[in-house]
Amino acid sequence: MTERNIQVSELDRRAVEDQRVEIVERKGIGHPDSISDGIAESVSRALSQAYIDRVGKVLHYNTDETQLVAGSAAPAFGGGEVVEPIYLLIVGRATKEYEGTHIPVDTIALEAARDYLNEHVPMLDFGTDIVVDVKLGQGSGDLVEVFGEEGATVPMANDTSFGVGHAPLTETERIVLDAEERLNGEYGDDHPELGSDIKIMGKREGDRIDVTVAAAMIDSHVDDIDAYDEAVRSVKEYVTDIAREHTDREVGVEVNTADDYDDGSIYLTVTGTSAEMGDDGSVGRGNRANGLITPNRPMSMEATSGKNPVNHIGKIYNLLSTQIAESVVADVDGIRDLQVRLLSQIGRPIDEPHVADAQVVTEGDVDVSDIEADVRAIVDDELANVTDITRQVIDGDMRTF
Amino acid sequence: MTERNIQVSELDRRAVEDQRVEIVERKGIGHPDSISDGIAESVSRALSQAYIDRVGKVLHYNTDETQLVAGSAAPAFGGGEVVEPIYLLIVGRATKEYEGTHIPVDTIALEAARDYLNEHVPMLDFGTDIVVDVKLGQGSGDLVEVFGEEGATVPMANDTSFGVGHAPLTETERIVLDAEERLNGEYGDDHPELGSDIKIMGKREGDRIDVTVAAAMIDSHVDDIDAYDEAVRSVKEYVTDIAREHTDREVGVEVNTADDYDDGSIYLTVTGTSAEMGDDGSVGRGNRANGLITPNRPMSMEATSGKNPVNHIGKIYNLLSTQIAESVVADVDGIRDLQVRLLSQIGRPIDEPHVADAQVVTEGDVDVSDIEADVRAIVDDELANVTDITRQVIDGDMRTF
Amino acid sequence: MTERNIQVSELDRRAVEDQRVEIVERKGIGHPDSISDGIAESVSRALSQAYIDRVGKVLHYNTDETQLVAGSAAPAFGGGEVVEPIYLLIVGRATKEYEGTHIPVDTIALEAARDYLNEHVPMLDFGTDIVVDVKLGQGSGDLVEVFGEEGATVPMANDTSFGVGHAPLTETERIVLDAEERLNGEYGDDHPELGSDIKIMGKREGDRIDVTVAAAMIDSHVDDIDAYDEAVRSVKEYVTDIAREHTDREVGVEVNTADDYDDGSIYLTVTGTSAEMGDDGSVGRGNRANGLITPNRPMSMEATSGKNPVNHIGKIYNLLSTQIAESVVADVDGIRDLQVRLLSQIGRPIDEPHVADAQVVTEGDVDVSDIEADVRAIVDDELANVTDITRQVIDGDMRTF
Amino acid sequence: MTERNIQVSELDRRAVEDQRVEIVERKGIGHPDSISDGIAESVSRALSQAYIDRVGKVLHYNTDETQLVAGSAAPAFGGGEVVEPIYLLIVGRATKEYEGTHIPVDTIALEAARDYLNEHVPMLDFGTDIVVDVKLGQGSGDLVEVFGEEGATVPMANDTSFGVGHAPLTETERIVLDAEERLNGEYGDDHPELGSDIKIMGKREGDRIDVTVAAAMIDSHVDDIDAYDEAVRSVKEYVTDIAREHTDREVGVEVNTADDYDDGSIYLTVTGTSAEMGDDGSVGRGNRANGLITPNRPMSMEATSGKNPVNHIGKIYNLLSTQIAESVVADVDGIRDLQVRLLSQIGRPIDEPHVADAQVVTEGDVDVSDIEADVRAIVDDELANVTDITRQVIDGDMRTF
């Protein structure tokens, strides 16, 4: 076993929590870019599982290029209608035959998309409000045998790629992430008028956090402008309460700021997503692997959703670096900000990166040397278990957007 | 009221029933061409109804160009799977806006297609086994105001077009038509193994009628080759019995003659239609308006399904000429074969054709002059009520393929 | 050698030339249905040739389902523009691999379509005025080895199919066919303002023939309404002269009758085809194999264009029956009308049809028995050389629409 | 005139040039993601220009969602062929009508794509090697009147958005950028065997820079493996020379490292882009606005290509912040690294950002206070001329990827 090249050093900048201005964004599950990410990843999971079920191992595929073309709609209080359907094209490569076994990748992809939409954007009637088509080419035929029934072996990196993860989340980040998840979770369960297309922007300047929410309302559950106003107000209160759970800083929350009641210009939709009316979407254009867009932090351009979780080094390293950062912060005290970078080395097993680079901003009374050994041990352990990432992704236990 | 130009004369050929060789074909409801016809017509009906509901009159549209691109499938005893979905493109023109009211023609079309398929080819999962897309351009904007809530007025013919109808059906024609309808009706209700893609060819030479049936079997209801053989045998018996109801001539029935049990080459499908595996389809390529393909009789090339039933003269005249022929034969004795042709006159109301031409082969003891007045009266009456055709088409009470 | 079942008998109707009313139509080469036919057939020819070049024999394919979706355009005197491109989808099945040789069927199809359009509808910019896409599924894998470099063998009929041909053409038929061909030929060469979408309807009542021409004019070659009027007038004169070459009957010619100069409603186009503005098209909806639509004659519903010319029995028999009829009439005197029908026999070589049926209306002084032997000999000879049809089709020497 | 909120401060990290590890990437002009970016931006420019030409001002549009679906190809020494065409879908919104003037946005988009491809990936035959389709929905109808013939006015920000720019480029960045541009420029002019799909990765560790080039070779200009090897070797020498122009550090260059001559696995293509064989692409997934992917620097997730340059604040601020950074560094001495961030303020003119934030790492002997006034003046001036960005973008004078 080669010793891994793990570097622990001081991060040469202030912790994001201590920077003067911080911007954070999350595109909720019903945003057109997130729909694309979600379908790409659900197709990926379905293919991985199908390959395992049918041939005992995951074969070559990548489905990280879903394109959503917006439709048009005519929302109306009490219930409007979709005028032109959304069009969504699932794009990628997938192995269609292996040693005589044919795998119906197109049908699997369409079924995965249908199931995903039915669960996450249930107001969209599959096939009529949204037309989903698929173009999966034959892959290059490279076999991916590493993740099969006889257990996982560690694949080789076939590309120079880079993953970056961070922990802990700042207050602003936690507010943005938590608010979207709970609006699309428990709140949505009780408030059918709230669509799944919720975009949240958090901006912190010094000790004031402003949260701006754009929340699509569903017309069939909104009878009139008063009901709409009440729905907006309720979201505002709910998000304000969430924000207060995460911070003692001054907080302001605005919901649907672009509304103009006099003009009748409000964020009312038929299906709960702006994809119904003019907003296109595609994979990799929205949230990073940790669920957020964080201009204050280095981010990978790599699209994570839809990539093959067995051998796509960009996907694995983005997920793994995030997981490492979270593990370290969970187990090691005294860390104010941690940034983990993994750089692959072509031709080497992916558990032996060219460099694993953990950079920390420590609490005032802690020195990097105090925690270096602990950090290194956790990084080493996580790298040793890199194939766990693959399993968690296939099981749907890991966020990719 | 102009007097109508109605000609009644002797048909200058033998009755089809008396010709030496007769060929008749019907593509069943699940045949790819018939699926295209069926969807085109169901979209047409849905649009007509939507226009009436929303603006009080039928607006300009034509949806007579559906294209079906076959998929691929892997049938297997006990249940196989669709590998590549069927792709179906609904094509046409439709008015999308009328005096400020927007009509969601794309969504209406997709819903009509979905409902039609769910009813008639229920083994096809909409959106996964078959991807349906729609391209409805803006029409030329001509208004069709003739068929609205204030009652129908008779539109003007805007094209030189031609319709032709026949009655009565010959024995061979009745066998072919009846067999397909009952196989896809009561027989299918009791025999879930029988798919809806049933193609029947009848060939009469003198006094022998040979009926050849190609019937797609559904694999999830067929456990093995014995069950398949039993299913084929059962269809053969059923069709033989039907044939005997219609004729005293010698009858032979063959089902799935291309099967080769030794090669394992049988007509087994996942969804009950050959569209799942290589057979493309489109509108107007299959049955004529009377449900049959009859090379022994003059036929119109005009596609009937999907056309606007208010003002498309080709559709109306094909349906009307058939209805006239049936009415005449029902009410007037002594007719062995009747052919009705309607030729439009541009710029005149469609109830005043350039010529309505009823040509008859009479029974041996009947002369054309004996029945001419009765025939003329019925033709005149049917022409006077031409707008009834439109209503029946919109209500789905009239066959178009 | 089996003796062929060739029947020669009297046709039990008047010659079409002697019927009271006759209707004939031809959709010119730029009509949306004809564009579909033309591309389908050019793709077919290109595939046949590519198979021969690459593997020495024609492999399984059928490309008879092209769908054209109309665009929209804004014509204007002196030159307008296409607003929304025409969309054309080439549909079919084609063998993509044979004993290790890959055949790029998609690229071949697109190149054939491009070349065809550049030649026949040159005002359409390929890729911008018309978007052409292709969906060619894998065929059933049946090999077609009959037409290869070692010479042709006669294939077996695998379907019950029917072809019908006629000769000679009536005066009306000749006028319609000749007028379209010469307008799109020598006349068009000298008159760039004339588009290729020319639809001609001939209607004969007794001894009067009315010819109605709908001719798309190309706006960049028409400066104003006077020029347009002059262009229409010129077509009228030209067609009138052609008509007089073919008949001594009374002739009337109308061109673009739907024009209304006061309303500015004229048949002006950017590209010379109505496909640019609202007229969809597909294969097999227009002209029959002899180039005409002839409701007075039995016609096959079968689409001829795009079918595999080696083993598609419907295509071969439609072309062959027409060729037989023409040969007979060319060589045997005394025939006023001849109808040749070929009915296939499943499992038998296609040069041995179930029946070849030649029905004649003879000139007054000729009896069927006088010519029966001559007719039979020619039919027999043509059947013996059935594979010539395939070669002529591949070489593009035979009309299919 | 409001005083602009311009902050100048010290950047709280080391200059990238001084960091231990640096990674830089550029996807060359023929890379599938860059093709998507390039077409999106060329469509955008064409639409802007068309709007100005036809209605005197730029109307609402965004075309930032092009999706490329890879084809398949069979390259071979001396010339292979494309087997399945690339499919490219141009997606977006565009205003199709303004005060009675119709703008043919679909045709304009297709022509822009054709012209772009013909110029930049000339081996791709438009329409046969690559099928380009377009889906441009109607936009929300918001008018963009700010950039018209009467001169530009400064638009209001309608979104909270963020742009970031850097200067000067590090040695590694300059090497990567310069190498790709010159390979696709003067080198390509003399070496037709070099495709436009050139991906360059630069990795600096301390004082060693490794440059990895993946360069698609064009088979019709490569006769055999020796010629291929010579082509690779030549690129290596050329890039090595370029690298030496920019640095005194140790340099290593590798070209097509994944090649395996024994296996016959080399980077040979028919058209010079990996899009022909399995590599999909889409907008915003590749290079940032400065032409590079720089994980060591904050980057915007925003796709720049294809966005409306008049009022899309994300596009404008990304381009402007980069231009500001370059201007400052050009005019002010003593700056080792400069990062400029622009944050928009909803409802305010875009020349008055919420904050314009210039953070510098100064040379050892320079203090921020020494240069603060100069920096501020340049930032202020550039903001005042923000509409110049729009003009440069429309004229194609500004890089977006």
Side-chain angles (χ1 to χ4, degrees), chain A residues 12-14 23 64-65 67 70 92-93 160 162 205 278 280-283 285 288 295 299 301 303 343 354, chain D residues 12-14 23 64-65 67 70 92-93 162 201 205 278 280-283 285 288 295 299 301 303 343 354:
Chain A
D12 72 339
R13 60 161 167 81
R14 270 195 292 275
I23 295 170
D64 63 328
E65 296 263 352
Q67 176 70 50
R93 315 282 115 199
T160 298
F162 165 88
E205 290 195 75
D280 307 312
S282 60
V283 175
R285 293 274 289 263
R288 298 298 91 192
M299 294 181 282
M301 283 296 112
L343 178 64
H354 185 75
Chain D
D12 72 338
R13 58 160 170 81
R14 271 193 292 274
I23 296 170
D64 63 329
E65 296 263 353
Q67 175 70 50
R93 315 281 116 198
F162 166 88
M201 167 82 69
E205 291 194 75
D280 308 312
S282 60
V283 175
R285 293 274 289 264
R288 298 299 90 193
M299 293 181 281
M301 283 295 110
L343 179 64
H354 185 76

Side-chain angles (χ1 to χ4, degrees), chain D residues 282-301:
Chain D
S282 60
V283 175
R285 293 274 289 264
N287 308 325
R288 298 299 90 193
N290 68 348
L292 295 169
I293 302 169
T294 55
N296 290 58
R297 303 187 185 272
M299 293 181 281
S300 167
M301 283 295 110

Side-chain angles (χ1 to χ4, degrees), chain D residues 21 39 166 172 177 220 288:
Chain D
V21 176
I39 287 179
H166 309 271
T172 311
L177 188 59
S220 53
R288 298 299 90 193

